[in-house]
Amino acid sequence: MDAAGEELADRVRALLSGADQVEERRMFGTRAFLVDGHILVGARPGGTLLVRVDEESGAALCTRAGVARAVMGARTMGTGWLDVASSVLTDDGELMFWLDVARENAQKSG
């Protein structure tokens, strides 16, 4: 992982520090943050945030600037996996928005 990805992981870790049982794992070249076994988000190289959402929400969220369907290797994922560009995550308020979106999805799934 590069410095931008590590910095993003540090920010995510700090914002999730009071959350229920957050587990951190290295997965898919990403530092993933999980709650109850569900991936919430991942800090990716370049400071890109991988966000897990439901397909319907993902389709709507893809229309936001700096948001696209995630690409993992040669595969473009469905709208349930989004990449949020580092340029969108310049402040903790915007990062918190995406963490809340991911937590809402995890609650629906759980």
Side-chain angles (χ1 to χ4, degrees), residues 82-93:
L82 303 178
D83 275 340
V84 181
S86 61
S87 61
V88 173
L89 305 170
T90 56
D91 64 61
D92 284 348

Side-chain angles (χ1 to χ4, degrees), residues 49-97:
L49 185 70
L50 174 69
V51 182
R52 178 74 173 124
V53 298
D54 66 82
E55 295 279 332
E56 188 175 318
S57 296
L61 290 165
C62 273
T63 64
R64 295 174 64 112
V67 179
R69 290 170 39 192
V71 176
M72 294 187 193
R75 183 173 176 210
T76 300
M77 306 302 287
T79 56
W81 294 97
L82 303 178
D83 275 340
V84 181
S86 61
S87 61
V88 173
L89 305 170
T90 56
D91 64 61
D92 284 348
E94 189 65 23
L95 179 54
M96 197 69 213
F97 167 81

Side-chain angles (χ1 to χ4, degrees), residues 8-9 14 16-17 19 26 42 62 66 73 80 86 97:
L8 179 59
L16 291 177
S17 65
R26 283 185 128 343
C62 273
S86 61
F97 167 81

Side-chain angles (χ1 to χ4, degrees), residues 14-62:
L15 290 172
L16 291 177
S17 65
D20 302 325
Q21 302 296 334
V22 175
E23 181 183 354
E24 190 174 331
R25 285 191 208 162
R26 283 185 128 343
M27 304 171 77
F28 318 116
T30 299
R31 186 165 309 271
F33 294 85
L34 300 86
V35 172
D36 296 328
H38 297 278
I39 295 175
L40 292 177
V41 297
R44 302 183 82 182
T48 297
L49 185 70
L50 174 69
V51 182
R52 178 74 173 124
V53 298
D54 66 82
E55 295 279 332
E56 188 175 318
S57 296
L61 290 165
C62 273

